[in-house]
Every structure is written in structure tokens, then in C-alpha cells.
Amino acid sequence: MSMITSTAWVRRGVAAQFPERYEIDEAEISRISKLAKVQLESARTDLNAARNANANDDDNDEEEEDEDEDDVMETTDEVEVEKKEKKKSKPEDDDDLAEYDMEHYDSDPRDEEGDEVTMFGNVQSLAYHQPHEKDPYLVLPNRADGAGDDSDEDREDLQILPSDNLLLAGKVEDEVAHLEVYVYEDAADNLYVHHDVMLPAIPLCVEWLDIPVGNNARESGRSHGNFVAVGTMEPDIEVWDLDVVDCMYPSAILGKAPDDEVEGEKKSKKKTKKSLKKNEEYHVDAVLALAANRQHRNLLASASADCTVKLWDLNDANTTRCAKSYTHHTDKVCSLDWHAKESTVLLSGSYDRSVVACDMRSAEGQVGRWTVPSDVECVRWDPHDANILYITTDSGLVVCHDLRTPDTALWTLQAHDDSVSSFDVNAFIPGFLVTGSTDKTVKIWNVLDNKPSMVVSRKVEEVGKIFSTAFGPDRAVGFRLAVAGSKGVVKVWDTSTNGAVRRAFATKVASAEEMGVREGGAEGEGQGMVGVADDEEDDDDEME
């Protein structure tokens, strides 16, 4: 099984040109050791419980064992007979080994030159090193011509150019959950995996953060960073530093239990997330959506299956509790989006078939509430019109509302027959929408003048059911669309190569060259879709 559940872009020029490799220190080893002890104690508790449960079964089996005792004795006699037969054949084996004189193998204490051979006879040739120095046997010597030094080559492999975009994908493959970090080279039409991060559970949402998070990041004195927040089936939110490769532990965990509870001598296995009650401090169920505030960069909103929306202050050193908690919904909250201009207004959608716009400065500051006929899948504000919002549903609808006329929808569109599982609004081109569905279809829409019309529809069989669609974050890649889904494959579609898209939108941009508009083939041809090439494929096969 392989599946990509969510994706997120990273702007150009944000990532470190040469990411660092993580080096474990003694403090990290000590922390891992403590966690291992906790897990060991939990395993012992489970083992003892299992033994006690099996004790009663063993008493019931004693009678059956008495009945089988005679059979066991007969089997034992047969084994003894086989051993005697083997002993009889042993002298023949000894005769075969006699020519090697194994009995006197260690009797000669001298070597060929007549010197006495001892256990530590080669001690003079041994190399030794002082404490905290590298073992000379484990370090390759640097050659004078530099041919033996691979550090430059490794450094070049990790390099990220200022013209590259990063694409983050939450993936589960063969029951292993991880975050894949891709590098997208637009000029070369190239997409490849740069590194990945192991996750504790299936990822459900990812959100890029541009603020330093964690004690080490704060101590560095940086004002900007390159981090990602990941929501999973667990109630905790992990924040990882994207400029560090092979990192073993996240920079911060939002909602993590206190250290004295985690590192205690015994941790009750009965205390699961299902038994925890909804509270005002942290989530107790899966995190379904994340939204970073781009104007108040220290604010991160999270939505959970525990029916709450929580607001986190990333500047707060205490990451075990949120800044505020909101209970505007009665069912799972699955989607969030901050308003582009009213930076404190958050839009939230829920399986209770309602959407709420709330001013996060007050607990009950609802700006509006809308209902739809089926479960909400995605909610988005229109970045070009502060009064417009979009809602997609499980029944395939896209509903557009205006804050000035809350009682009726501006328009309702039956975009797909199946669930509209993914949705995005282009930040650089007005009226440019995309919908992705579990019917494996991606559709481009033009909604200018509140008259939605389909521009192009594309079946993406190689991706499977569509779970994520996202437009590029920079003007130069505004026409690029990341598509991912149930087959664990991510593709970047240059929609400008489609003639219908160019006719609908290319004339509405100030500079086609600045927006990266490209001429493509005839409509319906599979051009402009770039993915990660298989090891067996040639470079010429990367563009389909």
C-alpha cells in the first residue's frame, strides 16, 4: 500500500542552499535511552498480563499433556537410537579430518621465522588514539589528489538552488509513515526526492512554517526559518526543521504530554486518546487540518477529530498547551483557512455540515455560519475578493458564498459525481480554481463574474484517487499544479501547456513570461505533467 494524503509547497529562496546533516549528541542518546526504558517497562507489563491470562489455559491443558506423555517417551527413545547411530559414524568423519591434524593445531608456538607466537604478538603494529579522537581504523585517509574525499560530492547532492521550489508530501508506504521532501526544478522539468522524515503515524495534513520553532531555533536568533508542521492520526503536532537532513527528532511537539508523564517509570497503556476527554489545552484525537497565519507568523491553527479548533503560539516555549481552544462544531473539523486581509478571521469546515468564520480574538466571535447538504471536505477564502468563500462537499458540490449575502449562495456547482476531496484557488490569477476528486479526475474552472465554467478535465490514472491539489507558491510557478493521491505518486502539472488554460487565463496576467507560461501541444495530449522517474526509466521518460 502506498498513499500520499497531503502536500504543501515551499517558496523559492527559503530553504538553506546546503542543508545540514543531523549529528546525534550525548543528550539525545540519553533521551532516547529514557524513552526506550519507558517502552520496555510497558512491554514487560503487557508480557506479565499475557502470562497471567495464559496461566488458566495451562491448567486446563495439563490433563491433555498426561495423555500424551506416553507418545513423548516413545519419541525420546527414537531420538536416543538416532544419537547412537551418529556416534557409530563419527570415527569415519574423524578419519576424513585426520590429514589436517586438528588435534595439534595450537601446539606449535612458533611461526615460520622461528619467533614465538603469542596472543598479542602484533601489538607493535596496532594503532591507538586518545579519548574523544576518531579511531584511525574507521577514518579514511585523505589522498593528496583529493580523490578519496566524497564530502564535496555529498554536499553538491544536497544543494538546493534559489530557483528551486520544495514540495512536501505526507506519505504512507507499506505501513511506514514518512514525510517526503521533493525538489522541483521548473526550468529543467525535474522533480526528485531530496530527503525524507520518519513519522510516528499516518500523516493527514502538512503546513509550511516560516518562523523558527523549538528552543534551538530560538537560540539561534533567526527571524525566519524553514519548518513544517505535520498532523497525523495521533493527537500531537510535530514540527520539523527542513534545513536539517536525517534528523531523528522534531524541533517541537505541540500538545505533547509533560516530561514527567512521558519519562515516568510506568506509563499506563489503558490511557489512550479515546479515553481522554476533550479539553482546553491540547487535542485528544487525530489532527485533520493545519493553517499557518501568514501575517501573524507565530500563530498556527489546528483542527481535530475531537471536534475542536485550537490556536497555538509558536513563540511560547510551553508547547504542551494551546493559546486558545474553540468548540464551534459538533463533529470532526476537517478544513481551515485564514482570511487574506482580516488576518484574525479563521474559516473552519466540519463533518457536521457547517462552516464557521470566527474572529479568533474572542471565543465566541463568529462572523458567519453556513450549512451545506453533505459533509464538508474543503474550505477556502478567495485571495482576490475579501467577501468570497468556497466550500466543497462529500457529494461533489462546490458552493460559493458572499459575506454580504449570507442567507443564499452566489452559485452552486456539481463539479464531480464523487467527493471533491481537494480544492485550491490560484493566488495570482483571479477566477482560476482547481478541484480534485476521488473519481481520479482533476478539473480546472473559470469562475470570473460568478459564472463557473469548466476549462479542462483530466483523468490522472497514475495518481489514483486525488487527495491533494495545490498551485505553486511563487508567481513564476503560478500555473504549476501539484497533484497527489492514493497510489503514492505526486505529479506537477504545468497547466499553461494546455491550450484551453492559456486561452482562459494567460491573457489575464500582466506578463506571461513572468508567470512561466509555456506553449504546449494540442488539447488532450499528456504534456506538462512531471513526476519522479523510476530507477529503470530514462531521463527522456520523465515528462509524459
Side-chain angles (χ1 to χ4, degrees):
M1 182 188 70
S2 181
M3 176 175 58
I4 293 179
T5 57
S6 58
T7 60
W9 286 93
V10 178
R11 297 196 313 261
R12 292 182 175 184
V14 172
Q17 186 173 2
F18 296 100
E20 300 178 1
R21 286 194 179 276
Y22 179 80
E23 294 184 2
I24 190 170
D25 54 13
E26 294 183 0
E28 182 72 4
I29 294 176
S30 176
R31 186 194 64 79
I32 295 174
S33 178
K34 291 180 180 179
L35 291 178
K37 289 180 180 179
V38 172
Q39 295 177 356
L40 181 59
E41 289 296 329
S42 299
R44 287 176 178 173
T45 301
D46 293 342
L47 180 60
N48 292 333
R51 287 176 176 174
N52 294 334
N54 292 333
N56 296 331
D57 296 338
D58 293 340
D59 294 340
N60 297 330
D61 294 339
E62 286 183 358
E63 296 181 359
E64 297 180 2
E65 292 178 358
D66 293 340
E67 295 177 358
D68 296 338
E69 184 176 355
D70 295 338
D71 296 337
V72 173
M73 293 299 294
E74 292 177 0
T75 303
T76 304
D77 293 339
E78 293 177 358
V79 171
E80 291 295 332
V81 172
E82 292 180 359
K83 287 182 178 180
K84 291 180 180 180
E85 293 178 354
K86 289 182 178 181
K87 288 182 178 179
K88 293 179 180 179
S89 61
K90 188 174 181 180
E92 298 178 0
D93 298 336
D94 292 342
D95 293 339
D96 295 335
L97 297 175
E99 59 177 314
Y100 298 102
D101 194 19
M102 299 300 294
E103 294 182 357
H104 302 89
Y105 179 77
D106 295 327
S107 60
D108 189 2
R110 303 202 174 261
D111 59 11
E112 295 179 356
E113 298 180 357
D115 296 331
E116 184 176 358
V117 178
T118 62
M119 182 180 296
F120 303 103
N122 62 339
V123 66
Q124 294 181 353
S125 64
L126 295 177
Y128 64 93
H129 59 92
Q130 298 294 332
H132 308 295
E133 290 183 357
K134 294 183 178 180
D135 190 335
Y137 282 115
L138 301 179
V139 178
L140 294 176
N142 291 327
R143 292 177 53 179
D145 57 0
D149 190 5
D150 296 333
S151 59
D152 293 340
E153 183 178 351
D154 293 340
R155 183 179 174 85
E156 184 178 354
D157 291 340
L158 292 176
Q159 183 178 11
I160 300 174
L161 300 177
S163 59
D164 295 339
N165 285 103
L166 295 186
L167 181 60
L168 315 176
K171 186 174 183 179
V172 56
E173 186 173 11
D174 296 331
E175 299 183 357
V176 177
H178 58 283
L179 175 75
E180 287 188 336
V181 181
Y182 296 82
V183 171
Y184 175 62
E185 300 173 336
D186 181 61
D189 288 328
N190 187 27
L191 181 70
Y192 64 92
V193 179
H194 185 270
H195 67 277
D196 61 356
V197 177
M198 299 302 296
L199 298 175
I202 297 176
L204 302 177
C205 53
V206 295
E207 181 74 349
W208 176 69
L209 304 175
D210 63 347
I211 183 173
V213 182
N215 293 330
N216 293 336
R218 297 187 187 96
E219 292 173 359
S220 65
R222 295 183 297 170
S223 60
H224 290 75
N226 185 24
F227 292 81
V228 59
V230 183
T232 68
M233 293 294 291
E234 297 295 328
D236 305 327
I237 303 169
E238 293 190 347
V239 180
W240 292 86
D241 191 342
L242 295 174
D243 290 337
V244 179
V245 179
D246 297 333
C247 191
M248 297 181 61
Y249 197 69
S251 298
I253 300 180
L254 308 180
K256 179 183 177 182
D259 293 339
D260 56 352
E261 181 179 342
V262 174
E263 297 181 1
E265 295 183 358
K266 292 184 180 181
K267 184 178 180 181
S268 175
K269 298 293 288 185
K270 296 180 180 180
K271 187 178 180 181
T272 62
K273 64 181 181 181
K274 292 183 179 180
S275 65
L276 295 177
K277 294 182 179 180
K278 182 168 57 178
N279 60 73
E280 301 291 325
E281 297 184 355
Y282 50 84
H283 289 302
V284 295
D285 210 334
V287 179
L288 304 180
L290 294 167
N293 194 311
R294 299 307 175 192
Q295 298 186 39
H296 304 282
R297 296 167 44 239
N298 62 306
L299 297 182
L300 175 69
S302 61
S304 172
D306 63 10
C307 311
T308 69
V309 175
K310 288 182 167 45
L311 186 64
W312 303 87
D313 184 359
L314 301 179
N315 286 334
D316 191 351
N318 182 12
T319 60
T320 62
R321 58 182 300 172
C322 65
K324 285 186 179 181
S325 181
Y326 304 86
T327 56
H328 297 137
H329 297 281
T330 59
D331 206 338
K332 299 179 180 67
V333 188
C334 58
S335 184
L336 299 170
D337 193 31
W338 289 100
H339 198 281
K341 295 183 178 179
E342 298 295 334
S343 58
T344 60
V345 176
L346 181 69
L347 197 64
S348 60
S350 169
Y351 290 170
D352 63 6
R353 302 184 178 184
S354 72
V355 175
V356 174
C358 175
D359 191 333
M360 304 298 278
R361 290 173 294 187
S362 61
E364 300 298 333
Q366 293 190 24
V367 177
R369 191 180 190 97
W370 302 267
T371 58
V372 289
S374 57
D375 293 350
V376 175
E377 288 288 345
C378 305
V379 294
R380 290 289 186 277
W381 292 106
D382 191 320
H384 308 284
D385 190 334
N387 297 307
I388 301 299
L389 62 96
Y390 303 98
I391 307 169
T392 72
T393 71
D394 184 57
S395 59
L397 294 178
V398 178
V399 184
C400 178
H401 279 279
D402 191 323
L403 292 176
R404 295 164 294 191
T405 57
D407 296 333
T408 58
L410 284 181
W411 49 264
T412 300
L413 173 68
Q414 185 68 49
H416 297 266
D417 294 332
D418 294 339
S419 170
V420 181
S421 52
S422 61
F423 178 81
D424 201 11
V425 184
N426 195 296
F428 307 101
I429 308 171
F432 192 2
L433 309 183
V434 60
T435 58
S437 173
T438 53
D439 63 6
K440 304 179 182 179
T441 303
V442 176
K443 295 182 180 181
I444 301 295
W445 303 89
N446 185 356
V447 298
L448 285 177
D449 302 324
N450 293 322
K451 297 178 181 179
S453 62
M454 188 178 69
V455 177
V456 62
S457 175
R458 184 165 186 174
K459 198 86 168 181
V460 193
E461 293 286 353
E462 61 270 29
V463 172
K465 296 179 179 179
I466 309 300
F467 293 150
S468 178
T469 53
F471 285 110
D474 300 291
R475 185 174 296 274
V477 290
F479 277 95
R480 312 304 184 257
L481 179 67
V483 183
S486 61
K487 291 188 177 180
V489 175
V490 60
K491 295 282 187 178
V492 177
W493 178 18
D494 183 358
T495 59
S496 69
T497 60
N498 183 274
V501 173
R502 289 197 306 274
R503 289 191 296 270
F505 301 109
T507 59
K508 297 178 174 61
V509 299
S511 172
E513 183 178 359
E514 182 183 359
M515 290 291 297
V517 176
R518 300 173 179 172
E519 295 293 329
E523 296 180 26
E525 293 185 2
Q527 295 189 9
M529 188 76 78
V530 179
V532 178
D534 295 334
D535 294 337
E536 299 178 356
E537 294 182 0
D538 296 330
D539 294 338
D540 295 336
D541 297 330
E542 290 183 7
M543 181 174 291
E544 303 176 6

